[in-house]
Amino acid sequence: MVTTSGEKKDGLLPPGRVSAVYNSFVQTSTHGTTTIRILAFAAGMGLIACSVLLWTHWIVDHRFSWVEMAISISSFAVGTCAFLLETNLPFSAKLREKLIANAPILGKVTGRGSMYAAIGLMQCAVFTALHLLVGLFTAAVGIYMIQVGRSAAKSLSILKNSISDEKALLKTFQANDRNGDGVLEMFEFEGLILALGIELDSDELDAAFSSIDTNNDKKIVYDEFRTWWKTFTAETEDVNVV
C-alpha cells in the first residue's frame, strides 16, 4: 500500500481503508470467502449426487429404508440450498432472497456451516464409502465455516464497538498496555491496531505513531490515541454499522 507524504505526515490512511476493512468483515461473516463458497458448493453437489445414487440403488436392488429415505431427502434439500446460497447465478437470486428471508440464520456463514456440519454427520449413517467420504467432507466444510464465521463476527464486533463505544475502545487500549503503565510504546501500539482489525505497513505505523506522539517521548496515552482513532474512523459515519 502506497501512502502519500501528506498522509504519512498526518498519520492517516488512504480514504476508504476502514470502510473496506469493515465491509470485508461483514462479507466474510455473511457471504463467506470465495474459497468457502466453492467448498460448500462442492459439498452440496456431493450431497445431491449421493441422494440420487441411493434412490437409484433402491430401484435396482428392489429395497427400501426409512432411515436412508430421511437422510437422502434431507441431504438433497441441503444440497439444493447450497446451490442457491453459495452461487451468484442471476436466475437463483430471488429464490436465494426468499430462502434467507424465511430462514435468516442461513444468511450467516456460521448458520450455513452448522447446517452443513449436521447433514454431513447424518450422511455418514449410510455405510458406503461414497456416503462416508461426502459426509466427512461436508462436515469438515461446515466446521471450517463456523470457525471462519465466528472469527469474522468477532473482528467485526471489535471494530464496530471501537468506533461507536468509547468504553470498548478504552478496554482494547488497556488490554494491549502490557506493562500496565497507562501508555503504549510502539510494539504495544502495533498490537492494538491489529486487535482492532487493521493491518498497517511499517511506514503507516511509524507515521501514525509519530502523529499521536506529539512530544516525541515514544509513548502515547489513551486520550491522544482516542482523538487520532476518531479521525481515522470518521469515514465510517457513511457506513451502515449494524
Side-chain angles (χ1 to χ4, degrees), residues 176-197:
N176 286 274
D177 178 15
R178 299 181 184 179
N179 56 12
D181 60 358
V183 298
L184 297 186
E185 298 179 37
M186 172 59 85
F187 74 97
E188 294 171 316
F189 175 70
E190 182 178 3
L192 172 60
I193 293 299
L194 288 174
L196 292 172

Side-chain angles (χ1 to χ4, degrees), residues 162-174:
S162 73
I163 295 171
S164 60
D165 186 347
E166 289 197 5
K167 290 183 178 180
L169 182 61
L170 175 60
K171 183 177 179 180
T172 306
F173 182 94
Q174 293 173 334

